[in-house]
């Protein structure tokens, strides 16, 4: 059967236990009436279809098990993933410090060109905050990784974070394709313009507000 | 031998107004939030008997008990990337349950770990 999409990106959620990886994948819902069965078993991964500059992109987003520590995560774990969301909890200093360890682990075990993004989750809990937004931004600059604060609880910035990561993976892939096939490549200026253009928000992206 | 009269006659897929050429004629959406699960004409209509946990479990049920019902009309999806938006649960007894990617309602079907095929329960979705 013909492929009905342009790109398939496998993404991974990584970070200390309790930072909110599962909550980011699983939508918070007050309606206990229909989610109870699914929530007791838990979601392994989701498939999402998004439109990026006219291309149909499938995202396969994987949660990772809570007990996993960076010390035990090896190559097999990252196999096939093209994007990694590094999640810490803004109310938990230790989870922020561990981002460096997670990055080191990724560098040692994942494919060298895996796209990364840092998420400072639980930004709705302002009173309990231990890590300022500025420190998150500094870390991101240090590693040259994009950063955004999220709240899985309020579904704030979650969708736009995935959109941003997917966009960066796509841009990287197209750059590679262009490098290997310069004759067939379109004008670079055109692509940059297309990338900057904000797409009409979909239902999944309705509350997007990128920093 | 009048029992023959009571025998359930399998309904021909051609009679279903949501089936065309053996496939889903319409877009498949979540009953609760309208999230798009399958594009039109992307999955095969099939009938098979499968016990699925109810989407709305009775809150007064015994602890640990799971209420099932028998479902017999499905859309058969051979490649999981055919889905527009869908969630896969962790594995239970060689199968994963399918849930809405937007509101997490489910199970809306199941995924067979052996064949790697997915089955969407038609009674648990809406067409659009
Ligand atoms: N206030 C608030 N609470 C959150 C947020 N995200 C997650 N939580 C809560 O934080 C706790 C841990 O969230 P999980 O999603 O289970 O964390 P996890 O990263 O999956 O943890 P492990 O599976 O152990 O690795 C839960 O009680 C969530 O309800 C958020 O954005 N805001
Ligand atoms: Mg978890
Ligand atoms: Zn839904």
């Amino acid at each position: 059967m013909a492929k009905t999409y342009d790109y398939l990106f496998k993404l991974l959620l990584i970070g200390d236990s309790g930072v909110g990886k599962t909550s980011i994948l699983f939508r918070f819902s007050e309606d206990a009436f229909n989610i109870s069965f699914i929530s007791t078993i838990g979601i392994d991964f989701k498939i999402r279809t998004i439109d990026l500059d006219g291309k149909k992109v499938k995202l396969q987003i994987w949660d990772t098990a809570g007990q996993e520590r960076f010390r035990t995560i090896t190559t097999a774990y990252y196999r096939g993933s093209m994007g990694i969301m590094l999640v810490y909890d803004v109310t938990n200093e230790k989870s922020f410090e561990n981002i460096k360890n997670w990055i080191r682990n990724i560098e040692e075990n994942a494919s060298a060109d895996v796209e990364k993004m840092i998420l400072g989750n639980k930004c709705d809990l302002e009173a309990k905050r231990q890590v300022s937004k500025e420190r998150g931004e500094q870390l991101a600059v240090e590693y040259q990784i994009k950063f955004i604060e999220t709240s899985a609880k309020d579904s704030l910035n979650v969708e736009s974070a995935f959109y941003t990561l997917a966009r960066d993976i796509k841009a990287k892939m197209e750059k590679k394709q262009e490098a290997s096939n310069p004759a067939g490549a379109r004008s670079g200026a055109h692509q940059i313009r297309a990338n900057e253009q904000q797409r009409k928000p979909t239902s999944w992206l309705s509350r997007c507000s990128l920093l | 031998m009048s029992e023959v009269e009571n025998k359930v006659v399998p309904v021909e897929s051609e009679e279903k107004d949501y089936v065309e050429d053996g496939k889903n004629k319409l877009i498949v959406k979540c009953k609760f939030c309208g999230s798009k699960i399958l594009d039109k004409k992307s999955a095969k209509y099939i009938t098979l008997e499968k016990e699925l946990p109810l989407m709305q479990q009775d809150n007064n049920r015994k602890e640990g008990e799971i209420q099932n019902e028998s479902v017999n009309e499905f859309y058969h999806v051979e490649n999981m990337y055919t889905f527009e938006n869908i969630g896969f649960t962790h594995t239970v007894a060689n199968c994963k349950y399918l849930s809405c990617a937007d509101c997490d309602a489910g199970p809306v079907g199941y995924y067979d770990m052996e064949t790697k095929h997915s089955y969407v329960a038609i009674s648990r979705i809406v067409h659009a």
Side-chain angles (χ1 to χ4, degrees), chain A residues 15-24 28 63-67 89 121-125 150-154:
Chain A
D16 281 10
S17 184
V19 297
K21 301 178 297 295
T22 299
S23 307
I24 284 169
F28 268 82
D63 193 5
T64 61
Q67 304 86 324
D89 171 355
N121 189 42
K122 306 196 191 182
C123 70
D124 57 290
L125 296 175
T150 57
S151 166
K153 183 158 184 268
D154 298 341

Side-chain angles (χ1 to χ4, degrees), chain B residues 30-35 100-105:
Chain B
C30 169
K31 259 185 185 181
F32 297 94
C33 75
S35 172
C100 172
D102 277 294
C103 74
D104 295 312

Side-chain angles (χ1 to χ4, degrees), chain B residues 48-111:
Chain B
L48 62 88
E49 188 115 354
K50 173 81 179 176
E51 290 276 312
L52 277 184
L54 292 179
M55 289 178 78
Q56 289 166 250
Q57 300 277 327
D58 187 347
N59 286 332
N60 300 319
R61 71 186 187 279
K62 278 187 236 121
E63 210 179 295
E65 188 188 61
I66 293 166
Q67 298 167 308
N68 291 301
E69 70 173 350
S70 180
V71 181
N72 50 36
E73 275 189 279
F74 292 89
Y75 287 127
H76 178 197
V77 178
E78 288 189 14
N79 180 339
M80 66 164 76
Y81 303 117
T82 302
F83 283 106
E84 293 291 306
N85 298 288
I86 197 77
F88 287 72
T89 66
H90 291 293
T91 308
V92 186
N94 218 22
C95 108
K96 288 179 182 290
Y97 292 106
L98 304 178
S99 60
C100 172
D102 277 294
C103 74
D104 295 312
V108 295
Y110 70 99
Y111 169 81

Side-chain angles (χ1 to χ4, degrees), chain A residues 67-127:
Chain A
Q67 304 86 324
E68 235 99 30
R69 305 280 307 167
F70 40 80
R71 290 168 204 91
T72 64
I73 293 187
T74 55
T75 315
Y77 205 79
Y78 293 108
R79 189 162 294 143
S81 52
M82 296 140 100
I84 296 173
M85 286 293 190
L86 288 147
V87 190
Y88 70 88
D89 171 355
V90 301
T91 71
N92 180 338
E93 173 74 33
K94 186 79 193 143
S95 74
F96 177 71
E97 286 164 14
N98 271 338
I99 289 290
K100 291 191 178 191
N101 293 321
W102 285 112
I103 291 176
R104 192 175 316 133
N105 188 271
I106 291 167
E107 282 168 353
E108 284 166 6
N109 294 292
S111 127
D113 61 355
V114 69
E115 203 62 43
K116 298 179 281 295
M117 184 160 178
I118 299 173
L119 304 185
N121 189 42
K122 306 196 191 182
C123 70
D124 57 290
L125 296 175
E126 207 46 63

Side-chain angles (χ1 to χ4, degrees), chain A residues 1 5 8 10 26-27 33-38 41-49 56 58 60 204, chain B residues 32 39 53 55-56 80-90 96-97 99 101-104 106-107:
Chain A
M1 212 174 86
Y5 53 89
L8 169 63
K10 297 187 184 184
F26 201 96
R27 180 151 287 217
F33 77 98
N34 65 34
I35 63 156
S36 53
F37 176 76
I38 295 295
I41 301 175
I43 304 279
D44 195 12
F45 61 89
K46 279 184 178 178
I47 291 172
R48 295 277 197 183
T49 305
K56 196 166 185 178
K58 301 258 172 184
Q60 188 183 37
W204 185 53
Chain B
F32 297 94
D39 219 340
M55 289 178 78
Q56 289 166 250
M80 66 164 76
Y81 303 117
T82 302
F83 283 106
E84 293 291 306
N85 298 288
I86 197 77
F88 287 72
T89 66
H90 291 293
K96 288 179 182 290
Y97 292 106
S99 60
D102 277 294
C103 74
D104 295 312

